[in-house]
């Protein structure tokens, strides 16, 4: 077994490698152990602690004249996949950007089967350097909810150049987005 993506919690892993003295380990054996332990951590959080906000993470709308900002208090939560979300300090967003929701993630689809992705805005801080970012307007925040979304990307580390392959492989990149 050599999974390339995060193992869903619906697919329970029921074994892991047992290493012996002087054994040469393969990347597959090391990955099997890492995936098993990582899944066990997520099972513990999701099924024993529970998903959602553990503490904090409260969204507040701040209006100053014609300017709008959304503040998220510091806090901790557990995603539906069992990942821990930690926001160690208050976040303030006064900009927004259109966000394209994942086309294969059911909670972001309207309708059954191959539904239509939900139109979302991603909240951005004042010092963002991204393009296509605008100030938050009243229509962006009135009668809306804030959703914390942990975006996971399987990203290549780099190329194997010459004999040095220390950076070969992939890493998971986690980006917490407030939509």
């Amino acid at each position: 077994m050599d999974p390339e993506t995060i193992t869903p919690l619906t697919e329970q892993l029921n074994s892991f490698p047992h290493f012996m003295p002087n054994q040469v380990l393969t990347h597959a054996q090391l990955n099997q152990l890492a995936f098993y332990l990582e899944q066990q951590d997520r099972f513990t959080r999701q099924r024993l602690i529970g998903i959602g906000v553990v503490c904090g993470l409260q969204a507040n709308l701040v209006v100053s004249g014609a300017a709008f900002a959304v503040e998220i208090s510091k806090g901790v939560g557990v995603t539906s996949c069992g990942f821990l979300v930690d926001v160690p300090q208050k976040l303030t967003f006064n900009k927004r950007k259109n966000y394209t929701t994942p086309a294969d993630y059911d909670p972001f689809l309207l309708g059954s089967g191959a539904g239509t992705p939900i139109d979302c805005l991603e909240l951005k801080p004042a010092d963002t350097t991204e393009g296509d970012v605008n100030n938050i307007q009243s229509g962006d925040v009135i009668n809306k909810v804030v959703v914390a979304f942990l975006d996971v990307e399987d990203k290549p580390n780099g190329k194997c150049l010459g004999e040095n392959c220390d950076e070969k492989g992939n890493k998971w990149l986690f980006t917490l987005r407030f939509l």
Side-chain angles (χ1 to χ4, degrees):
M1 173 184 189
D2 189 14
E4 294 179 8
T5 60
I6 295 171
T7 307
L9 292 181
T10 55
E11 182 184 318
Q12 188 167 1
L13 302 176
N14 56 9
S15 69
F16 61 90
H18 181 155
F19 307 125
M20 305 305 287
N22 301 316
Q23 177 182 356
V24 175
L25 300 177
T26 67
H27 77 282
Q29 291 167 317
L30 292 171
N31 283 337
Q32 284 175 351
L33 179 61
F35 283 114
Y36 178 82
L37 294 173
E38 184 266 340
Q39 189 186 60
Q40 290 299 304
D41 282 346
R42 292 190 298 124
F43 268 137
T44 300
R45 289 190 289 265
Q46 183 202 47
R47 296 186 178 168
L48 294 179
I49 297 170
I51 62 172
V53 174
V54 175
C55 67
L57 299 179
Q58 294 187 359
N60 292 307
L61 178 62
V62 178
V63 181
S64 177
F68 294 86
V70 176
E71 292 181 344
I72 307 292
S73 67
K74 66 181 181 176
V76 175
V78 177
T79 71
S80 57
C81 289
F83 289 104
L84 190 63
V85 173
D86 178 32
V87 177
Q89 60 191 22
K90 179 177 78 170
L91 303 174
T92 301
F93 304 100
N94 58 11
K95 305 243 181 230
R96 56 118 176 121
K97 179 178 184 172
N98 289 332
Y99 180 75
T100 304
T101 58
D104 61 345
Y105 187 55
D106 287 343
F108 282 137
L109 300 178
L110 296 172
S112 60
T116 305
I118 297 173
D119 291 328
C120 288
L121 296 175
E122 182 177 0
L123 299 173
K124 296 288 184 179
D127 62 354
T128 187
T129 58
E130 293 182 43
D132 297 324
V133 176
N134 297 304
N135 290 330
I136 294 175
Q137 303 294 318
S138 63
D140 299 330
V141 291
I142 304 301
N143 295 322
K144 302 285 172 54
V145 297
V146 175
V147 174
F149 177 61
L150 188 63
D151 199 356
V152 182
E153 180 184 0
D154 192 20
K155 189 171 183 160
N157 276 340
K159 295 180 180 174
C160 183
L161 301 173
E163 293 182 23
N164 183 358
C165 292
D166 292 343
E167 294 300 317
K168 187 176 179 182
N170 291 357
K171 65 180 170 184
W172 289 336
L173 179 62
F174 296 91
T175 304
L176 181 59
R177 302 181 190 281
F178 288 94
L179 308 175

